[in-house]
Amino acid sequence: MTFARHVPADFAHLDEHPLLAVPFALTLGGMRLRGERLSMTHLVATAEAEGGVPEPGAGGIARLQVEFPGFSVTLAPEVLVRAAEPGGAVLLAFADPTGPHLPQLRYLLNAVIAGEVAGVDGLLRYSGPAGAPKPKAAASPRADLRARIRSLASIALSAALIVAAAGVLTHRATTATELHPVFVETGGMGMRATAPGQLSYLAPDAAEGEVVFAIASNAGDVLNFAMPCDCEVRVAPGLREGATLLPTDTVLTLLDAEPELGARTMMSVEGFARVLNGDHATLRLADGRSFRVEVAAGEAATAAAMRGEMFVPVSLVLPDGALSEADAGLAGRLLITTPLLGGLLPEFGT
């Protein structure tokens, strides 16, 4: 049973709605038809012998019934007869494809396309899963223990990350690092240049009363400096004869009989004020050791502050036994930390 109609080359199906093999019963004007194929726009059926064949062009409200085991779906669309053959084959079309019957018809055809409804011997049957989903097997005690361990590990890792992030943020908010480095050196009395000029003579092994160094000043005078004691001398790093000197530049240091290690640096006026207000100063050496120190300002720091300079020279007082002779020459950084809640909370990052 075919109806030859011209289909344009750019269309996949006639009217873009393929006919599906869906059995149904159709009653139109007292005539009964046995449906074979159905789409959103057309119907193909065969007229029963006793009822007669409808004439092309006839139409009206039809009764479209689709039978299922135990129930049926009945629609009342308006249809038109497009063509009829002598053998009883009839091609019909919905007069209004978007009429009230559309939602139910579309659901039915979609179910057929999805495979949930299949036609067998003229009847429609459900072909989807018939049984209820099987319940999941109960987890074994060992699997439950592993799940709990994973959960506890995740909680512990999250807590550790939160604590670490809080420590980093607290450190950034409460701790500042001084710009200038700190140098650990042996204590003693320094001998400095008193006038700008050039170092013309240097004898660190001179005896007491002999000339230990001389400066050819810019004014043309030669300034001689005598060794004040019979003691060990340390020449300033990088200093040699011919070097240019400025006033207050240290030429050499006279070491004490039992020299003590100390630390010196140039500290910002802002950092010095924070220490005076109660903030803590911590010396962190290049090898990773850290010590709580006290800041001592001498006459040089007072003079620099009175001149309005941004950095002042200070000495750092370290705990007893914190450094040894092997630490001489080490460098470090000075950290200024504001204590939290008056020092009740620990200081992070110092």
Side-chain angles (χ1 to χ4, degrees):
M1 177 179 58
T2 60
F3 293 92
R5 294 184 61 183
H6 174 68
V7 179
D10 57 344
F11 279 75
H13 304 282
L14 180 64
D15 295 327
E16 283 298 310
H17 291 283
L19 289 165
L20 302 179
V22 178
F24 61 91
L26 183 70
T27 302
L28 176 63
M31 293 177 289
R32 297 177 57 84
L33 295 91
R34 183 178 71 255
E36 300 176 0
R37 289 183 294 166
L38 181 64
S39 75
M40 298 292 293
T41 57
H42 292 81
L43 307 91
V44 175
T46 301
E48 297 181 357
E50 63 275 9
V53 179
E55 296 290 335
I61 301 298
R63 182 174 180 271
L64 174 63
Q65 186 172 3
V66 182
E67 296 289 342
F68 290 92
F71 70 98
S72 64
V73 177
T74 302
L75 304 177
E78 183 179 0
V79 299
L80 297 174
V81 179
R82 296 297 189 189
E85 293 183 352
V90 181
L91 174 65
L92 305 98
F94 292 105
D96 183 9
T98 61
H101 68 283
L102 175 62
Q104 293 82 0
L105 180 61
R106 179 171 55 194
Y107 182 85
L108 176 63
L109 296 181
N110 287 340
V112 174
I113 294 174
E116 298 176 356
V117 175
V120 180
D121 297 333
L123 295 177
L124 293 179
R125 297 185 181 276
Y126 178 69
S127 60
K134 296 181 179 180
K136 294 183 179 180
S140 63
R142 181 175 299 179
D144 186 61
L145 178 61
R146 287 197 297 265
R148 291 187 179 183
I149 292 176
R150 285 196 298 266
S151 178
L152 293 177
S154 300
I155 294 174
L157 179 59
S158 301
L161 292 176
I162 292 173
V163 172
V168 171
L169 294 177
T170 303
H171 174 71
R172 290 186 177 182
T174 61
T175 304
T177 303
E178 285 293 313
L179 180 63
H180 289 81
V182 179
F183 296 100
V184 178
E185 55 188 23
T186 305
M189 181 179 67
M191 297 186 68
R192 297 178 173 85
T194 58
Q198 187 176 22
L199 184 64
S200 59
Y201 177 75
L202 179 63
D205 54 351
E208 183 178 356
E210 295 180 356
V211 176
V212 65
F213 68 91
I215 299 175
S217 67
N218 295 343
D221 300 328
V222 177
L223 306 177
N224 296 323
F225 295 81
M227 175 67 78
C229 62
D230 186 11
C231 54
E232 186 179 354
V233 174
R234 185 180 69 243
V235 180
L239 195 63
R240 65 189 65 181
E241 291 183 2
T244 302
L245 298 174
L246 295 175
T248 71
D249 282 352
T250 300
V251 179
L252 51 83
T253 302
L254 305 176
L255 302 180
D256 300 333
E258 295 181 358
E260 296 180 358
L261 289 177
R264 296 191 307 161
T265 186
M266 295 291 292
M267 191 174 185
S268 66
V269 176
E270 179 183 358
F272 187 61
R274 288 182 59 179
V275 172
L276 293 179
N277 289 332
D279 287 5
H280 297 162
T282 302
L283 172 61
R284 177 180 293 172
L285 297 177
D287 58 6
R289 290 178 295 168
S290 297
F291 307 100
R292 180 70 60 78
V293 297
E294 296 182 2
V295 178
E299 296 181 358
T302 303
M306 295 302 294
R307 290 194 300 268
E309 297 182 6
M310 298 300 297
F311 296 91
V312 296
V314 297
S315 299
L316 304 180
V317 180
L318 288 85
D320 295 337
L323 300 176
S324 62
E325 294 183 2
D327 296 326
L330 284 180
R333 303 301 299 271
L334 183 63
L335 283 68
I336 309 300
T337 304
T338 302
L340 299 176
L341 298 180
L344 296 179
L345 296 181
E347 297 178 5
F348 294 90
T350 58

